[in-house]
Every structure is written in structure tokens, then in C-alpha cells.
Amino acid sequence: MTSQKTPQTMKPATAAKKLNVYLEATPAEFQEGVVSRDELNALQTSPPEWLRELRRDGPHPRQVVAAKLGVSIGGLARGGVTEALTTEQIETLKADNPEWLQQERATQADVRKETARIKEKAAERRQRRP
């Protein structure tokens, strides 16, 4: 008796998240189907034109927008950014550099410093152990 393994599939929303793209901007056939693990790997290794274009121009999902602006997702919300943004909109925001963006970048920098300090302290403790 041989058991045939069924391919692992995921919902389009999960695949879009793994590809770092905004689901609503993907083609209808992507949004309406399911994506197998093999299809996802193929999309990652040799992305079709629509995927390359989405990654380049957007609209981008919140986590990508936040990373491009150097702020947290919460910082985006505090700044009133609730929609997906295109690369052009992100560049405009960077150029305008509104006060909320300056504040959120400073907050993010403080968080990174604190995280590094905590890591360093933990590493020192590990070294002191017998």
C-alpha cells in the first residue's frame, strides 16, 4: 500500500504575506486560488512580472511600508497611515518628513538601542556563568 502525499497548500493571504506583497493588488487568479508550497517557491525564485512590479512600485503592505520608513506598524497607525502605500507615496513621505515620522523614527531608534543593550547584557551574563 503506497500513500500519496498531498501537496501542502495555503490561502492567498498567507502566500501574499510570505511574498511581502499587498493581497488586494495581486492578480485575481492569485487571490481566488490556493497556492502550493512548490508554487510559492517558484514565485520566490523566479517571480513573474506582476510580482516584480508589485515589489518595486507597490502598493505595499503595512509591514513593508513601516520597514521602508524606518518605523513600527504601530507608528504608522499613530501617524494616520492605515492604507497600503506605493513606493512613490513612501518616497514623498520621506521627502516631506512630517513631525510624526521624525518622532516615530526616533522612537524606533530608541527601541533598537534598548534591544541591543538587553542583548549585550544577556551575553555578558552568559559569559560569567561557570
Side-chain angles (χ1 to χ4, degrees), residues 2-23:
T2 60
S3 68
Q4 195 158 13
K5 206 173 183 184
T6 57
Q8 216 178 7
T9 60
M10 61 194 82
K11 294 178 183 175
T14 304
K17 196 171 198 168
K18 289 180 182 285
L19 293 168
N20 272 339
V21 294
Y22 186 57
L23 177 63

Side-chain angles (χ1 to χ4, degrees), residues 22-33 48 50-51 54:
Y22 186 57
L23 177 63
E24 286 77 9
T26 61
E29 59 270 13
F30 181 86
Q31 292 180 40
E32 294 162 3
W50 66 264
L51 182 54
L54 258 182

